[in-house]
Amino acid sequence: MTWSAVILVTAVVWAVSVIRSVRLRAFVYSLPLPMTLALVTTDHRVDGAQLLGVLGLNLFFVTVALTHHRLRWPILLADLAGIAAYVALSAGLLAVPVPFGPALAGTMALWLLAMVVLRRRARAVAAAPERPVDARRDSLPAPAKLAVIFAGAVLTGLLGQLLRGMVVTFPYSGVLVAVEARRQLVDFSRHFARNSLALVGFLTAYHHLQDGSPVVALAGGWAAFALLATALHLPRRRRAEPAPAGATPEASAGPAPAAPTRPAPDASTRPAPDPSARPAPEGAAGAPRARPRPRPTAAERRATT
C-alpha cells in the first residue's frame, strides 16, 4: 500500500470523525475514493468478485453493529469480527470464478430485498418510543486522534494487500470509521446500505469501460456514481392522507360560524309620541305632499252643469 493510499484513508476517516450527521457520514464514506486509488495503483480488473465485494462491505458493518450493540463486544473486537467476515467472503469469492452478469443480478436482488427490510424496520422504529441520542464527543485530542487514525490506516493497508483482487473493495477506512461511528453504527449501516447502489454503478461502469483507457473508465465510473447518488438523495414527496368516506372538507373543519345579526329593536326603548305635536301644514318643509286631484272627465263636467 502506497503512502498516498494511507494519507487518503486517513483523510476519509478524519472527515467522518468531524461530521456529526449520520447521513452525511455514510455518504462521505461511500465515495469510491479508495476504490479509485486501488484501481490506479494496481493492475486488478473489476469482475464479478469485486462487484460482490460491495456486499462484503455491508457484511462488515452489519457484523460490527451486531457484535457491538447486540452482543456488547468492545468496538475493537467487533471490528476484528467484521474483518474476519469480509476475509471469509473474499476467500470464497476468489476460490471460484464469478461471472459479472450473474453477480450484478444477484447484487441488485439482494439490494432490493435489503431496502424492503430496512423500510419495514424504519416504520417499526418510528412507531416505537424515541430513544435519547448519544451525542457525546470523544475526549481524545485532535493530534492524538489523527496519529491513531494514521497508524490504523497503515495496519489496514498491510492487511488489505493479502486479499489480491478483493483489495479493491477492502474496507480500509471502514475499520476506523466503525470506531468513530460506534454510537450510531446501526443508522450508519442503514444509510451506507442505501448508498451502496451508487458503488455498484461505479464498478459496473468501470467494468464495461476498462478495456479502453483507464481515465475514461474512471470518468465513466464516477459519472455513474454521481447519477445514482443524486437519484438516491432526491427529496421525496409525501402522499396526502385520504379523507374518510362521506366526509367533506367543510364538514371535517367543523360548522361554519354564523353571520352576525343585528338585534331586533325593543319596543320599550322607542320614544313615545308627543301629543302636543301638530302635523306640519301641507306644503311645509318636512310635511308629506298631497297627491294631485285627477281631472274630471267630460261626463262629470256635463253632470255638474
Side-chain angles (χ1 to χ4, degrees):
M1 188 177 184
T2 61
W3 285 108
S4 59
V6 173
I7 294 174
L8 178 61
V9 171
T10 304
V12 171
V13 179
W14 177 259
V16 171
S17 67
V18 173
I19 298 171
R20 292 301 158 190
S21 171
V22 181
R23 184 176 182 180
L24 189 56
R25 278 183 168 189
F27 177 75
V28 170
Y29 175 73
S30 63
L31 293 173
L33 294 173
M35 292 184 184
T36 301
L37 191 60
L39 292 172
V40 170
T41 57
T42 63
D43 56 351
H44 296 299
R45 294 175 58 85
V46 173
D47 293 321
Q50 285 73 29
L51 191 62
L52 293 178
V54 178
L55 300 179
L57 290 175
N58 287 276
L59 177 63
F60 167 80
F61 282 108
V62 169
T63 304
V64 176
L66 179 64
T67 54
H68 181 60
H69 287 274
R70 291 289 182 88
L71 303 181
R72 303 298 180 182
W73 289 11
I75 186 60
L76 295 180
L77 190 59
D79 249 350
L80 292 177
I83 294 175
Y86 182 88
V87 171
L89 177 65
S90 300
L93 293 176
L94 293 175
V96 294
V98 181
F100 188 85
L104 179 60
T107 302
M108 292 300 301
L110 290 176
W111 184 84
L112 291 174
L113 179 61
M115 292 302 102
V116 173
V117 173
L118 290 176
R119 180 170 296 183
R120 291 182 178 179
R121 178 177 175 81
R123 292 177 181 175
V125 171
E130 186 177 358
R131 297 180 180 178
V133 178
D134 190 356
R136 293 176 297 172
R137 292 177 178 266
D138 297 330
S139 58
L140 196 64
K145 180 185 289 188
L146 187 60
V148 170
I149 292 174
F150 184 80
V154 174
L155 294 177
T156 54
L158 295 176
L159 179 62
Q161 293 295 328
L162 303 176
L163 298 176
R164 292 181 291 170
M166 296 302 293
V167 72
V168 175
T169 54
F170 181 78
Y172 292 106
S173 55
V175 176
L176 302 175
V177 166
V179 177
E180 289 293 331
R182 59 188 178 275
R183 299 189 182 100
Q184 300 169 328
L185 199 54
V186 176
D187 293 336
F188 182 90
S189 303
R190 177 169 56 86
H191 286 294
F192 176 73
R194 188 163 171 258
N195 294 336
S196 60
L197 180 64
L199 294 177
V200 173
F202 172 84
L203 293 174
T204 302
Y206 187 91
H207 169 78
H208 290 289
L209 298 174
Q210 63 184 345
D211 293 332
S213 172
V215 177
V216 175
L218 286 174
W222 274 95
F225 175 86
L227 180 63
L228 290 174
T230 303
L232 289 172
H233 290 276
L234 285 177
R236 299 179 180 179
R237 295 182 179 179
R238 295 184 177 180
R239 297 180 179 178
E241 297 182 358
T248 58
E250 292 79 10
S252 61
T261 57
R262 295 182 180 179
D266 192 358
S268 60
T269 59
R270 293 180 181 180
D274 188 4
S276 61
R278 296 181 179 180
E282 185 177 348
R289 294 184 179 181
R291 297 179 64 181
R293 298 179 180 179
R295 292 183 179 184
T297 60
E300 289 178 348
R301 286 196 299 271
R302 285 193 299 268
T304 53
T305 57

Short mmCIF file of all heavy atoms in Angstrom, two decimals, residues 207-262:
data_model
loop_
_atom_site.label_atom_id
_atom_site.label_comp_id
_atom_site.label_asym_id
_atom_site.label_seq_id
_atom_site.Cartn_x
_atom_site.Cartn_y
_atom_site.Cartn_z
N HIS A 207 -16.29 -1.60 -15.24
CA HIS A 207 -16.13 -2.92 -15.85
C HIS A 207 -16.34 -2.86 -17.36
O HIS A 207 -15.59 -3.49 -18.13
CB HIS A 207 -17.11 -3.90 -15.21
CG HIS A 207 -17.21 -5.21 -15.93
ND1 HIS A 207 -16.25 -6.21 -15.80
CD2 HIS A 207 -18.14 -5.70 -16.81
CE1 HIS A 207 -16.60 -7.24 -16.55
NE2 HIS A 207 -17.74 -6.96 -17.17
N HIS A 208 -17.34 -2.13 -17.80
CA HIS A 208 -17.64 -2.07 -19.23
C HIS A 208 -16.68 -1.16 -20.00
O HIS A 208 -16.62 -1.25 -21.24
CB HIS A 208 -19.08 -1.59 -19.44
CG HIS A 208 -20.11 -2.58 -19.02
ND1 HIS A 208 -20.35 -3.76 -19.70
CD2 HIS A 208 -20.98 -2.58 -17.97
CE1 HIS A 208 -21.32 -4.45 -19.10
NE2 HIS A 208 -21.71 -3.76 -18.04
N LEU A 209 -15.93 -0.31 -19.32
CA LEU A 209 -15.02 0.61 -19.99
C LEU A 209 -13.55 0.31 -19.71
O LEU A 209 -12.67 1.02 -20.23
CB LEU A 209 -15.32 2.06 -19.55
CG LEU A 209 -16.72 2.59 -19.88
CD1 LEU A 209 -16.92 3.97 -19.26
CD2 LEU A 209 -16.93 2.66 -21.39
N GLN A 210 -13.24 -0.73 -18.93
CA GLN A 210 -11.86 -0.96 -18.51
C GLN A 210 -10.96 -1.48 -19.63
O GLN A 210 -9.73 -1.41 -19.50
CB GLN A 210 -11.83 -1.94 -17.34
CG GLN A 210 -12.36 -3.33 -17.66
CD GLN A 210 -12.41 -4.22 -16.43
OE1 GLN A 210 -11.80 -3.92 -15.40
NE2 GLN A 210 -13.11 -5.34 -16.53
N ASP A 211 -11.53 -2.01 -20.72
CA ASP A 211 -10.69 -2.48 -21.83
C ASP A 211 -10.10 -1.33 -22.64
O ASP A 211 -9.17 -1.54 -23.41
CB ASP A 211 -11.51 -3.38 -22.75
CG ASP A 211 -11.90 -4.69 -22.06
OD1 ASP A 211 -11.15 -5.12 -21.16
OD2 ASP A 211 -12.95 -5.25 -22.40
N GLY A 212 -10.63 -0.14 -22.47
CA GLY A 212 -10.10 1.03 -23.16
C GLY A 212 -9.14 1.81 -22.27
O GLY A 212 -8.27 1.25 -21.60
N SER A 213 -9.32 3.10 -22.27
CA SER A 213 -8.45 3.97 -21.47
C SER A 213 -8.87 3.91 -19.99
O SER A 213 -10.06 3.99 -19.68
CB SER A 213 -8.55 5.41 -21.97
OG SER A 213 -7.87 6.30 -21.10
N PRO A 214 -7.90 3.78 -19.08
CA PRO A 214 -8.26 3.79 -17.65
C PRO A 214 -8.88 5.11 -17.20
O PRO A 214 -9.74 5.12 -16.32
CB PRO A 214 -6.91 3.55 -16.95
CG PRO A 214 -6.04 2.92 -17.98
CD PRO A 214 -6.48 3.49 -19.29
N VAL A 215 -8.45 6.20 -17.84
CA VAL A 215 -9.02 7.51 -17.48
C VAL A 215 -10.49 7.56 -17.85
O VAL A 215 -11.34 8.03 -17.08
CB VAL A 215 -8.23 8.64 -18.16
CG1 VAL A 215 -8.85 9.98 -17.86
CG2 VAL A 215 -6.77 8.61 -17.72
N VAL A 216 -10.82 7.06 -19.04
CA VAL A 216 -12.22 7.04 -19.47
C VAL A 216 -13.04 6.12 -18.58
O VAL A 216 -14.19 6.42 -18.21
CB VAL A 216 -12.31 6.61 -20.94
CG1 VAL A 216 -13.76 6.46 -21.38
CG2 VAL A 216 -11.59 7.63 -21.84
N ALA A 217 -12.46 4.98 -18.19
CA ALA A 217 -13.17 4.05 -17.32
C ALA A 217 -13.46 4.67 -15.96
O ALA A 217 -14.57 4.54 -15.43
CB ALA A 217 -12.36 2.77 -17.17
N LEU A 218 -12.49 5.38 -15.41
CA LEU A 218 -12.71 6.03 -14.11
C LEU A 218 -13.72 7.17 -14.23
O LEU A 218 -14.57 7.36 -13.34
CB LEU A 218 -11.39 6.55 -13.56
CG LEU A 218 -10.42 5.50 -13.01
CD1 LEU A 218 -9.10 6.14 -12.62
CD2 LEU A 218 -11.04 4.79 -11.81
N ALA A 219 -13.63 7.92 -15.32
CA ALA A 219 -14.60 9.01 -15.52
C ALA A 219 -16.02 8.45 -15.65
O ALA A 219 -16.97 8.99 -15.08
CB ALA A 219 -14.22 9.83 -16.74
N GLY A 220 -16.16 7.36 -16.40
CA GLY A 220 -17.48 6.74 -16.52
C GLY A 220 -17.97 6.19 -15.19
O GLY A 220 -19.17 6.29 -14.88
N GLY A 221 -17.08 5.62 -14.40
CA GLY A 221 -17.47 5.11 -13.10
C GLY A 221 -17.94 6.21 -12.16
O GLY A 221 -18.97 6.08 -11.49
N TRP A 222 -17.20 7.32 -12.14
CA TRP A 222 -17.61 8.43 -11.29
C TRP A 222 -18.90 9.08 -11.77
O TRP A 222 -19.72 9.55 -10.95
CB TRP A 222 -16.49 9.47 -11.22
CG TRP A 222 -15.48 9.16 -10.16
CD1 TRP A 222 -14.30 8.50 -10.31
CD2 TRP A 222 -15.58 9.47 -8.77
NE1 TRP A 222 -13.65 8.38 -9.12
CE2 TRP A 222 -14.40 8.97 -8.15
CE3 TRP A 222 -16.52 10.13 -7.99
CZ2 TRP A 222 -14.17 9.12 -6.78
CZ3 TRP A 222 -16.30 10.27 -6.63
CH2 TRP A 222 -15.13 9.77 -6.04
N ALA A 223 -19.11 9.12 -13.07
CA ALA A 223 -20.36 9.67 -13.60
C ALA A 223 -21.55 8.80 -13.18
O ALA A 223 -22.60 9.31 -12.77
CB ALA A 223 -20.29 9.79 -15.12
N ALA A 224 -21.38 7.48 -13.26
CA ALA A 224 -22.45 6.58 -12.82
C ALA A 224 -22.70 6.72 -11.33
O ALA A 224 -23.85 6.71 -10.87
CB ALA A 224 -22.09 5.14 -13.18
N PHE A 225 -21.64 6.86 -10.55
CA PHE A 225 -21.80 7.04 -9.11
C PHE A 225 -22.56 8.33 -8.81
O PHE A 225 -23.48 8.35 -7.96
CB PHE A 225 -20.43 7.06 -8.43
CG PHE A 225 -20.50 7.37 -6.96
CD1 PHE A 225 -20.70 6.35 -6.05
CD2 PHE A 225 -20.35 8.67 -6.49
CE1 PHE A 225 -20.76 6.62 -4.69
CE2 PHE A 225 -20.42 8.95 -5.15
CZ PHE A 225 -20.63 7.92 -4.23
N ALA A 226 -22.19 9.42 -9.47
CA ALA A 226 -22.85 10.71 -9.22
C ALA A 226 -24.33 10.65 -9.61
O ALA A 226 -25.19 11.19 -8.90
CB ALA A 226 -22.15 11.82 -10.00
N LEU A 227 -24.63 9.99 -10.73
CA LEU A 227 -26.03 9.90 -11.18
C LEU A 227 -26.88 9.12 -10.18
O LEU A 227 -27.97 9.56 -9.78
CB LEU A 227 -26.08 9.24 -12.56
CG LEU A 227 -27.47 9.08 -13.17
CD1 LEU A 227 -28.11 10.43 -13.41
CD2 LEU A 227 -27.38 8.30 -14.49
N LEU A 228 -26.38 7.97 -9.74
CA LEU A 228 -27.15 7.15 -8.81
C LEU A 228 -27.23 7.80 -7.42
O LEU A 228 -28.27 7.73 -6.75
CB LEU A 228 -26.55 5.76 -8.71
CG LEU A 228 -26.71 4.89 -9.96
CD1 LEU A 228 -25.94 3.58 -9.81
CD2 LEU A 228 -28.19 4.61 -10.22
N ALA A 229 -26.15 8.42 -6.99
CA ALA A 229 -26.18 9.09 -5.68
C ALA A 229 -27.18 10.24 -5.68
O ALA A 229 -27.89 10.46 -4.69
CB ALA A 229 -24.79 9.59 -5.32
N THR A 230 -27.25 10.97 -6.78
CA THR A 230 -28.23 12.05 -6.88
C THR A 230 -29.65 11.51 -6.85
O THR A 230 -30.53 12.06 -6.18
CB THR A 230 -28.00 12.85 -8.17
OG1 THR A 230 -26.66 13.36 -8.18
CG2 THR A 230 -28.97 14.02 -8.26
N ALA A 231 -29.89 10.42 -7.57
CA ALA A 231 -31.22 9.82 -7.57
C ALA A 231 -31.60 9.28 -6.19
O ALA A 231 -32.77 9.36 -5.78
CB ALA A 231 -31.29 8.70 -8.61
N LEU A 232 -30.64 8.75 -5.46
CA LEU A 232 -30.94 8.21 -4.14
C LEU A 232 -31.23 9.28 -3.11
O LEU A 232 -31.97 9.04 -2.15
CB LEU A 232 -29.76 7.36 -3.64
CG LEU A 232 -29.53 6.02 -4.34
CD1 LEU A 232 -28.23 5.40 -3.86
CD2 LEU A 232 -30.69 5.07 -4.08
N HIS A 233 -30.69 10.47 -3.30
CA HIS A 233 -30.83 11.53 -2.31
C HIS A 233 -31.80 12.62 -2.75
O HIS A 233 -31.82 13.69 -2.13
CB HIS A 233 -29.46 12.16 -2.01
CG HIS A 233 -28.55 11.24 -1.26
ND1 HIS A 233 -28.58 11.10 0.10
CD2 HIS A 233 -27.61 10.36 -1.70
CE1 HIS A 233 -27.68 10.22 0.49
NE2 HIS A 233 -27.07 9.75 -0.58
N LEU A 234 -32.59 12.38 -3.78
CA LEU A 234 -33.61 13.35 -4.15
C LEU A 234 -34.67 13.41 -3.06
O LEU A 234 -35.03 12.39 -2.47
CB LEU A 234 -34.25 12.96 -5.49
CG LEU A 234 -33.42 13.20 -6.76
CD1 LEU A 234 -34.17 12.69 -7.98
CD2 LEU A 234 -33.11 14.69 -6.91
N PRO A 235 -35.22 14.62 -2.81
CA PRO A 235 -36.28 14.70 -1.78
C PRO A 235 -37.53 13.97 -2.24
O PRO A 235 -37.92 14.02 -3.40
CB PRO A 235 -36.53 16.21 -1.65
CG PRO A 235 -36.04 16.79 -2.94
CD PRO A 235 -34.90 15.93 -3.38
N ARG A 236 -38.15 13.27 -1.30
CA ARG A 236 -39.35 12.50 -1.60
C ARG A 236 -40.59 13.32 -1.29
O ARG A 236 -40.62 14.09 -0.34
CB ARG A 236 -39.38 11.21 -0.77
CG ARG A 236 -38.22 10.28 -1.04
CD ARG A 236 -38.32 9.05 -0.16
NE ARG A 236 -37.23 8.12 -0.39
CZ ARG A 236 -37.07 6.98 0.26
NH1 ARG A 236 -37.95 6.63 1.19
NH2 ARG A 236 -36.06 6.20 0.00
N ARG A 237 -41.62 13.13 -2.12
CA ARG A 237 -42.91 13.77 -1.87
C ARG A 237 -43.76 12.87 -1.00
O ARG A 237 -43.94 11.70 -1.29
CB ARG A 237 -43.66 14.05 -3.19
CG ARG A 237 -42.95 15.06 -4.09
CD ARG A 237 -43.77 15.30 -5.34
NE ARG A 237 -43.13 16.28 -6.21
CZ ARG A 237 -43.64 16.67 -7.37
NH1 ARG A 237 -44.79 16.16 -7.80
NH2 ARG A 237 -43.00 17.56 -8.10
N ARG A 238 -44.29 13.47 0.04
CA ARG A 238 -45.16 12.70 0.93
C ARG A 238 -46.57 12.64 0.37
O ARG A 238 -47.11 13.65 -0.08
CB ARG A 238 -45.20 13.34 2.32
CG ARG A 238 -43.84 13.31 3.03
CD ARG A 238 -43.97 13.88 4.43
NE ARG A 238 -42.71 13.79 5.14
CZ ARG A 238 -42.54 14.23 6.39
NH1 ARG A 238 -43.56 14.76 7.04
NH2 ARG A 238 -41.37 14.12 6.97
N ARG A 239 -47.14 11.46 0.42
CA ARG A 239 -48.50 11.30 -0.06
C ARG A 239 -49.48 11.89 0.94
O ARG A 239 -49.37 11.69 2.14
CB ARG A 239 -48.81 9.81 -0.27
CG ARG A 239 -47.94 9.14 -1.33
CD ARG A 239 -48.32 7.67 -1.46
NE ARG A 239 -47.50 7.01 -2.49
CZ ARG A 239 -47.61 5.73 -2.78
NH1 ARG A 239 -48.51 4.97 -2.15
NH2 ARG A 239 -46.83 5.20 -3.70
N ALA A 240 -50.50 12.61 0.38
CA ALA A 240 -51.53 13.16 1.24
C ALA A 240 -52.43 12.05 1.75
O ALA A 240 -52.82 11.16 1.01
CB ALA A 240 -52.36 14.21 0.48
N GLU A 241 -52.77 12.10 3.04
CA GLU A 241 -53.62 11.07 3.61
C GLU A 241 -55.05 11.22 3.09
O GLU A 241 -55.61 12.32 3.11
CB GLU A 241 -53.62 11.18 5.14
CG GLU A 241 -52.23 10.93 5.74
CD GLU A 241 -52.28 10.99 7.24
OE1 GLU A 241 -53.39 11.27 7.76
OE2 GLU A 241 -51.25 10.76 7.87
N PRO A 242 -55.70 10.13 2.61
CA PRO A 242 -57.06 10.25 2.07
C PRO A 242 -58.05 10.59 3.17
O PRO A 242 -57.94 10.11 4.31
CB PRO A 242 -57.31 8.85 1.48
CG PRO A 242 -56.40 7.95 2.23
CD PRO A 242 -55.18 8.77 2.55
N ALA A 243 -59.06 11.41 2.83
CA ALA A 243 -60.09 11.78 3.78
C ALA A 243 -61.04 10.62 3.99
O ALA A 243 -61.23 9.79 3.09
CB ALA A 243 -60.86 13.00 3.26
N PRO A 244 -61.65 10.47 5.15
CA PRO A 244 -62.60 9.37 5.37
C PRO A 244 -63.80 9.46 4.46
O PRO A 244 -64.19 10.54 4.01
CB PRO A 244 -62.98 9.54 6.85
CG PRO A 244 -62.64 10.95 7.19
CD PRO A 244 -61.48 11.31 6.33
N ALA A 245 -64.41 8.29 4.18
CA ALA A 245 -65.53 8.22 3.26
C ALA A 245 -66.71 9.02 3.81
O ALA A 245 -67.06 8.93 4.99
CB ALA A 245 -65.95 6.77 3.04
N GLY A 246 -67.34 9.81 2.92
CA GLY A 246 -68.52 10.58 3.31
C GLY A 246 -68.21 11.88 3.99
O GLY A 246 -69.13 12.58 4.42
N ALA A 247 -66.94 12.19 4.15
CA ALA A 247 -66.58 13.44 4.82
C ALA A 247 -66.17 14.47 3.79
O ALA A 247 -65.55 14.16 2.78
CB ALA A 247 -65.45 13.21 5.81
N THR A 248 -66.55 15.69 4.01
CA THR A 248 -66.19 16.80 3.13
C THR A 248 -65.25 17.72 3.89
O THR A 248 -65.24 17.73 5.13
CB THR A 248 -67.44 17.58 2.69
OG1 THR A 248 -68.10 18.05 3.88
CG2 THR A 248 -68.38 16.68 1.91
N PRO A 249 -64.44 18.50 3.18
CA PRO A 249 -63.53 19.40 3.89
C PRO A 249 -64.27 20.35 4.82
O PRO A 249 -63.80 20.69 5.90
CB PRO A 249 -62.80 20.14 2.76
CG PRO A 249 -62.90 19.23 1.58
CD PRO A 249 -64.20 18.51 1.73
N GLU A 250 -65.52 20.83 4.39
CA GLU A 250 -66.24 21.76 5.24
C GLU A 250 -66.73 21.07 6.50
O GLU A 250 -66.69 21.61 7.59
CB GLU A 250 -67.42 22.36 4.48
CG GLU A 250 -67.02 23.30 3.34
CD GLU A 250 -66.60 22.53 2.10
OE1 GLU A 250 -66.81 21.30 2.08
OE2 GLU A 250 -66.08 23.14 1.15
N ALA A 251 -67.23 19.82 6.31
CA ALA A 251 -67.75 19.11 7.47
C ALA A 251 -66.64 18.74 8.43
O ALA A 251 -66.80 18.75 9.63
CB ALA A 251 -68.50 17.86 7.02
N SER A 252 -65.49 18.33 7.87
CA SER A 252 -64.40 17.96 8.76
C SER A 252 -63.81 19.16 9.48
O SER A 252 -63.21 19.01 10.54
CB SER A 252 -63.30 17.27 7.94
OG SER A 252 -62.81 18.16 6.96
N ALA A 253 -63.96 20.33 8.90
CA ALA A 253 -63.40 21.52 9.55
C ALA A 253 -64.31 22.05 10.64
O ALA A 253 -63.97 23.00 11.33
CB ALA A 253 -63.15 22.62 8.51
N GLY A 254 -65.54 21.48 10.79
CA GLY A 254 -66.45 21.94 11.83
C GLY A 254 -67.51 22.85 11.23
O GLY A 254 -67.44 23.29 10.07
N PRO A 255 -68.57 23.16 11.97
CA PRO A 255 -69.63 24.03 11.45
C PRO A 255 -69.13 25.43 11.17
O PRO A 255 -68.28 25.97 11.88
CB PRO A 255 -70.67 24.02 12.59
CG PRO A 255 -69.87 23.67 13.82
CD PRO A 255 -68.79 22.76 13.36
N ALA A 256 -69.66 26.00 10.10
CA ALA A 256 -69.25 27.35 9.73
C ALA A 256 -69.80 28.34 10.74
O ALA A 256 -70.92 28.19 11.24
CB ALA A 256 -69.78 27.69 8.33
N PRO A 257 -69.06 29.38 11.05
CA PRO A 257 -69.55 30.37 12.02
C PRO A 257 -70.74 31.13 11.45
O PRO A 257 -70.79 31.47 10.27
CB PRO A 257 -68.34 31.29 12.24
CG PRO A 257 -67.50 31.11 11.01
CD PRO A 257 -67.72 29.70 10.58
N ALA A 258 -71.75 31.39 12.31
CA ALA A 258 -72.96 32.09 11.88
C ALA A 258 -72.65 33.55 11.62
O ALA A 258 -71.80 34.16 12.27
CB ALA A 258 -74.04 31.97 12.95
N ALA A 259 -73.37 34.11 10.63
CA ALA A 259 -73.18 35.52 10.29
C ALA A 259 -73.72 36.40 11.40
O ALA A 259 -74.77 36.09 11.99
CB ALA A 259 -73.88 35.86 8.96
N PRO A 260 -73.05 37.47 11.71
CA PRO A 260 -73.55 38.35 12.79
C PRO A 260 -74.87 39.00 12.40
O PRO A 260 -75.03 39.49 11.28
CB PRO A 260 -72.43 39.38 12.95
CG PRO A 260 -71.70 39.37 11.64
CD PRO A 260 -71.81 37.98 11.12
N THR A 261 -75.85 39.00 13.28
CA THR A 261 -77.17 39.61 13.05
C THR A 261 -77.39 40.76 14.00
O THR A 261 -76.90 40.75 15.14
CB THR A 261 -78.28 38.56 13.25
OG1 THR A 261 -78.17 38.03 14.57
CG2 THR A 261 -78.15 37.40 12.26
N ARG A 262 -78.11 41.77 13.51
CA ARG A 262 -78.42 42.91 14.35
C ARG A 262 -79.57 42.57 15.29
O ARG A 262 -80.54 41.96 14.88
CB ARG A 262 -78.81 44.12 13.50
CG ARG A 262 -77.68 44.63 12.62
CD ARG A 262 -78.14 45.84 11.86
NE ARG A 262 -77.06 46.36 11.02
CZ ARG A 262 -77.18 47.42 10.21
NH1 ARG A 262 -78.34 48.06 10.16
NH2 ARG A 262 -76.16 47.81 9.50
#
